[in-house]
Amino acid sequence: MLILCGAVVFQNESIPLYFSMRKYPKKKGMRSQKKMEAAFFNSLREMLPDSYRDTIVADAGLGIVGL
C-alpha cells in the first residue's frame, strides 16, 4: 500500500488535512508511484492558501522529484 498524509502545524501540533491510501503499483499499466505522489501534492496545495509555506517530510520511499 502507498499511504500519504498531508498535515499542517498549528501551535506545535500536527493536524492531518489530507490522507490517501492506494494499492502500490506492481503491474505494468498501473499508475506509477511518482504520478500518485504528484497528484497527492497537487491536491494538497489546492487546499492551502498561496501564502502557506510547505515542507515535505518523507521516508526513503518517496519517489517524487523536482517539486
Side-chain angles (χ1 to χ4, degrees), residues 7-32:
V8 294
V9 176
F10 180 72
Q11 295 182 356
N12 294 325
E13 296 291 330
S14 177
I15 302 170
L17 286 182
Y18 189 56
F19 182 84
S20 177
M21 185 172 14
R22 305 273 188 246
K23 286 186 178 181
Y24 193 79
K26 294 180 183 178
K27 299 176 186 175
K28 188 174 182 173
M30 289 181 74
R31 193 168 187 198
S32 76

Side-chain angles (χ1 to χ4, degrees), residues 18-54:
Y18 189 56
F19 182 84
S20 177
M21 185 172 14
R22 305 273 188 246
K23 286 186 178 181
Y24 193 79
K26 294 180 183 178
K27 299 176 186 175
K28 188 174 182 173
M30 289 181 74
R31 193 168 187 198
S32 76
Q33 178 181 349
K34 288 183 182 183
K35 286 183 181 179
M36 287 191 279
E37 291 166 356
F40 175 84
F41 284 116
N42 289 336
S43 296
L44 183 59
R45 283 192 180 137
E46 288 176 7
M47 292 179 197
L48 300 172
D50 291 337
S51 61
Y52 196 82
R53 188 185 66 135
D54 57 353

